[in-house]
Amino acid sequence: MTDHTTTAETRPSDRPVIHITLSGDIYLKSRRTQKGLVHRLRRNLELALEAAGYSGPLQRISSHRFEIQPSEDEHEPVIEAATRVFGVASVDAVTPIPYGTLEGLAEGVARATSGSVRGRRFAVRAKRRGTHDWKSPDLAREAGARLRAEGGIVDLTTPDVEVAVTVLDNHAYVVTNHRKGVGGLPLGTQDRVLCLLSGGFDAVVAAWMLMSRGAKVDFVHISLNCAQSDHALAVGRELWQAWGHGFEPEVHLVEFQPVKDALFDAVDARMRQVTLKVMMAKAASAIADEVGIEALVTGDSLGQVSSQTLPHLVAVSKSSNTPIL
């Protein structure tokens, strides 16, 4: 993808316009850190959009937004892909509204939305960025008055329809479809962690949570000669296919059935479960040390099952040379 500069006059009128708004988490950082986060997010977005079939430009139109112009066939796939990129706050399908004055903009908004509000309760929600001789409430009032004249019923509390208008400097847009993104920080902006991938969903959820904070997640699966292994690997694969744009994980497989068999011979039945978890943590820690990973990740939740009492979790944590998240 390449970065092109376009204007309302040069933008193709027959292609949908989609705005991708960046997560507020990014802008809590210093300007220097923001630059690196946005650069990584852009790369992850490019990979996600390409996988969804989009090959057009990805244009940054403000400090917080990117714009793409997919074809009709690409429209839904690219929206779905963009909402799954960490660091994206929202994805909006928008209609550009040309304007020169506040009155002209209000007229344009009314023309674009009158059909959806006629006979229904509505509210105009306006946002703007840039220097104008009017404020956002002025635009909301002007557009609202025109829509009321078209048969709409103003209701700012519980409207049936919200008319969302965004003005960026001298460009204006009506939002026709708003989709919430995943937010968080761009994947790949934190160091690698190693997730102990079990046969259930808890570990995958834990991995997703770390990914949402920018961490690159590798996996280790401890195999115990049961059907859960194939399931665990399949779920991990699904996680990365859907959410992992920007990083290819490594998966480590460890055959642990001999260890389990030995525990039945040498360890009291009351201590086998926690001992097995201690041995798994030691094995994962050894892998982490070898490949240079500084933290492990598990899906353990305090009190969820008998092996996840506080004393058991503390024992497992103390057994590992690598911190466990």
Side-chain angles (χ1 to χ4, degrees):
M1 294 185 190
T2 55
D3 192 348
H4 299 294
T5 300
T6 62
T7 66
E9 289 72 28
T10 61
R11 181 184 292 115
S13 59
D14 59 341
R15 297 176 73 89
V17 178
I18 293 174
H19 285 179
I20 301 168
T21 302
L22 281 57
S23 168
D25 278 357
I26 293 173
Y27 296 95
L28 296 175
K29 315 302 182 185
S30 69
R31 289 190 179 275
R32 180 178 179 181
T33 301
Q34 287 177 28
K35 185 176 180 180
L37 294 175
V38 173
H39 177 78
R40 184 67 191 224
L41 175 56
R42 183 190 190 101
R43 179 57 182 156
N44 294 350
L45 258 177
E46 288 175 343
L47 293 171
L49 295 174
E50 287 172 1
Y54 179 72
S55 58
L58 177 65
Q59 177 198 355
R60 193 170 180 186
I61 60 172
S62 74
S63 62
H64 291 65
R65 293 191 182 210
F66 289 103
E67 180 180 283
I68 59 176
Q69 299 169 249
S71 67
E72 290 289 350
D73 291 340
E74 296 167 341
H75 191 266
E76 281 302 317
V78 300
I79 289 178
E80 179 66 21
T83 60
R84 290 175 177 263
V85 174
F86 294 106
V88 170
S90 64
V91 182
D92 297 316
V94 302
T95 299
I97 306 294
Y99 81 99
T101 64
L102 173 61
E103 292 75 15
L105 176 54
E107 289 285 354
V109 171
R111 282 195 301 271
T113 61
S114 59
S116 64
V117 305
R118 190 172 291 116
R120 305 176 71 187
R121 298 192 304 274
F122 77 92
V124 179
R125 313 294 193 198
K127 298 179 182 178
R128 67 177 187 89
R129 179 168 296 169
T131 302
H132 307 91
D133 57 4
W134 45 268
K135 304 296 184 183
S136 298
D138 299 328
L139 173 57
R141 281 193 297 269
E142 291 285 343
R146 287 161 174 77
L147 288 170
R148 186 173 61 179
E150 292 288 336
I153 305 163
V154 176
D155 185 342
L156 301 182
T157 305
T158 56
D160 300 318
V161 179
E162 288 195 352
V163 177
V165 186
T166 299
V167 181
L168 303 175
D169 296 317
N170 61 337
H171 297 289
Y173 310 88
V174 169
V175 178
T176 57
N177 182 14
H178 174 77
R179 295 276 292 277
K180 187 175 181 181
V182 66
L185 295 172
L187 181 62
T189 54
Q190 296 290 328
D191 290 332
R192 293 161 65 202
V193 296
L194 182 63
C195 178
L196 283 82
L197 185 64
S198 63
F201 287 93
D202 292 347
V204 178
V205 173
W208 186 95
M209 294 173 71
L210 267 293
M211 290 163 65
S212 75
R213 303 312 300 165
K216 296 171 284 189
V217 182
D218 288 338
F219 295 100
V220 56
H221 177 67
I222 309 295
S223 177
L224 294 173
N225 291 349
C226 62
Q228 282 189 330
S229 292
D230 289 343
H231 176 71
L233 296 175
V235 173
R237 187 180 304 111
E238 287 290 327
L239 173 70
W240 275 96
Q241 287 177 343
W243 298 95
H245 300 290
F247 176 69
E248 289 293 331
E250 292 183 357
V251 180
H252 306 268
L253 300 178
V254 181
E255 174 54 57
F256 231 60
Q257 189 62 39
V259 176
K260 183 178 179 181
D261 294 339
L263 290 179
F264 272 89
D265 296 333
V267 177
D268 186 281
R270 295 171 298 175
M271 299 300 295
R272 285 174 188 160
Q273 185 66 27
V274 68
T275 304
L276 180 61
K277 294 190 70 170
V278 165
M279 299 304 294
M280 289 178 172
K282 286 179 175 291
S285 180
I287 293 172
D289 286 344
E290 182 176 340
V291 298
I293 291 177
E294 296 184 346
L296 305 179
V297 178
T298 76
D300 290 342
S301 178
L302 180 61
Q304 181 167 292
V305 294
S306 60
S307 64
Q308 294 175 21
T309 62
L310 185 58
H312 283 181
L313 294 180
V314 170
V316 174
S317 294
K318 286 184 175 180
S319 71
S320 171
N321 293 328
T322 310
I324 298 178
L325 307 179

